[in-house]
Amino acid sequence: MKQDTSGSRPTPTLEMVAALAGVSRATVSRVVNDVPSVDEDIAAKVRQAILAVNYTPNRAARSLASRRPNSVTLIVPESTSKVFADPFFASVVQGVALYLADTDYTLNMVIASEAKPEKTRAFLLGGNVAGALVVSHHAGDRSWTHLSDYIPMVFAGRPLGESASYYVDVDNEAAAAGATRLLIESGRTNIATIAGPQDMPPGIDRVNGWRAAMAEAGLDDSRVEYGDFTLASGAKAMRRLLGSGKPVDGVFVANDQMAAGAYTVLQERGLRIPQDVAVVGFDDDSFATSVNPQLTTVHHPIIEMGKKMAEILVDLIEGKDTARVTQIPTSLVIRESV
């Protein structure tokens, strides 16, 4: 907790007001910013709590309320090279832009470097942004943490360590389990996985789904390698799997880009897909249809996710009630790799 300059007692915070009033931080923020959607009885309790703890609203929050900016920011805590190589990001932007086209809000994008998170935070709190969307977040990212105290925020996927956040997601674990069951039903018994980064919810949830399906079938779940959702990492992981000495006749890969990398290695080794090794991916992006044979994969409705994120963010900016968690269904797309 921050300390005041006198060192005598803690500086009052939104959390202190929320705890005393028995409401969420977001509700306190709305009262502070005079958002009209808060019930008057609740707003009165919040105002009493503000007086009781002698809370002074953050200057940036006041600026945001008074200037009424009409732009929203998409934050991507990744390298520029990764953003422009991965079709996931383009699809999210497309979905967001499609929704905002019929509103008064404009979209800007920040590819945020975690080397200088304060730069991103200063931009977002500078009074020119009405709200933010966060995509591809990792454990340890600091650019956006606790910014929901001051501006509305919506995440693409379940954020780690931000339990009170608004987010749009798919059931990654159930979808991965379904993809793995498809491999099992095709007669594969030595099924490996190329998992995503374990500091990201999709990486964690998809490997857990694979493990759940393997346990359900009584199969060995020791064939695991990890990548970072890039083409090169998928190829390296497939080489490690083939070099492990354990037979592999099926692979569930946590995204299509890594699956395309795995394809190159399997084909270099003279292994036929799907006759020798069946492969299932996740996302249903351009990589799935650019490989030969075309990839069976989980359809991840990324454009729809972007639209829904933008819709929820606009609702939050305008003080409307909205669900904290929105889940969009996935489906399996059967092609030629199983």
Side-chain angles (χ1 to χ4, degrees):
M1 182 178 292
K2 296 182 294 183
Q3 300 293 317
D4 68 11
T5 54
S6 67
S8 59
R9 61 178 180 175
T11 301
T13 65
L14 274 177
E15 289 85 351
M16 292 168 63
V17 175
L20 184 59
V23 298
S24 68
R25 291 183 305 170
T27 298
V28 175
S29 181
R30 288 175 187 170
V31 174
V32 167
N33 291 313
D34 296 322
V35 174
S37 63
V38 181
D39 179 85
E40 185 53 40
D41 290 341
I42 294 173
K45 288 182 181 179
V46 172
R47 293 187 194 103
Q48 289 172 2
I50 288 171
L51 292 173
V53 302
N54 197 27
Y55 173 70
T56 302
N58 179 277
R59 184 181 302 169
R62 284 179 177 270
S63 175
L64 286 170
S66 62
R67 293 173 61 183
R68 299 188 183 279
N70 67 346
S71 68
V72 299
T73 295
L74 180 71
I75 310 169
V76 188
E78 297 286 1
S79 67
T80 303
S81 59
K82 189 170 184 179
V83 170
F84 288 102
D86 192 335
F88 173 84
F89 299 109
S91 295
V92 171
V93 171
Q94 183 180 353
V96 172
L98 283 170
Y99 183 82
L100 293 180
D102 293 327
T103 73
D104 294 330
Y105 296 93
T106 59
L107 175 66
N108 56 56
M109 182 174 175
V110 172
I111 300 174
S113 168
E114 278 303 307
K116 292 185 177 180
E118 65 279 1
K119 181 177 180 180
T120 302
R121 295 176 68 84
F123 170 73
L124 294 172
L125 294 176
N128 298 309
V129 175
L133 304 162
V134 184
V135 181
S136 192
H137 37 88
H138 301 253
D141 287 345
R142 294 166 291 142
S143 297
W144 44 262
T145 51
H146 303 304
L147 286 179
S148 56
D149 287 353
Y150 309 111
I151 60 172
M153 299 189 73
V154 179
F155 291 79
R158 170 177 58 86
L160 292 172
E162 292 278 318
S163 59
S165 299
Y166 292 84
Y167 65 90
V168 180
D169 206 355
V170 297
D171 190 336
N172 284 287
E173 188 166 335
T180 306
R181 289 190 195 103
L182 181 65
L183 289 166
I184 295 167
E185 290 164 4
S186 74
R188 314 296 163 148
T189 56
N190 300 307
I191 302 170
T193 188
I194 298 176
Q198 296 301 285
D199 65 346
M200 300 180 71
I204 295 167
D205 293 347
R206 292 174 196 176
V207 73
N208 286 344
W210 171 81
R211 289 191 190 281
M214 295 292 282
E216 186 181 272
L219 297 176
D220 175 17
D221 67 354
S222 65
R223 296 170 176 83
V224 185
E225 291 293 342
Y226 298 92
D228 63 3
F229 288 140
T230 63
L231 190 76
S233 74
K236 289 176 182 177
M238 194 71 244
R239 288 192 184 94
R240 292 194 296 269
L241 286 170
L242 295 178
S244 69
K246 294 182 178 182
V248 174
D249 61 7
V251 189
F252 166 64
V253 190
N255 79 333
D256 293 346
Q257 193 169 173
M258 291 197 299
Y263 259 54
T264 62
V265 174
L266 290 169
Q267 292 168 339
E268 283 171 4
R269 302 289 178 89
L271 295 168
R272 299 167 301 165
I273 304 168
Q275 293 92 333
D276 300 319
V277 181
V279 184
V280 179
F282 201 114
D283 278 343
D284 192 24
D285 61 26
S286 58
F287 283 93
T289 53
S290 65
V291 293
N292 184 26
Q294 292 194 353
L295 179 67
T296 293
T297 187
V298 175
H299 176 67
H300 186 183
I302 303 168
I303 293 175
E304 184 61 31
M305 174 181 280
K307 287 182 181 178
K308 195 65 183 177
M309 289 170 63
E311 179 184 350
I312 292 169
L313 184 63
V314 169
D315 284 349
L316 290 173
I317 292 167
E318 297 181 353
K320 299 176 183 176
D321 290 332
T322 186
R324 286 194 175 276
V325 179
T326 302
Q327 196 166 86
I328 300 176
T330 61
S331 58
L332 268 171
V333 180
I334 309 300
R335 294 196 178 99
E336 304 161 355
S337 62
V338 176

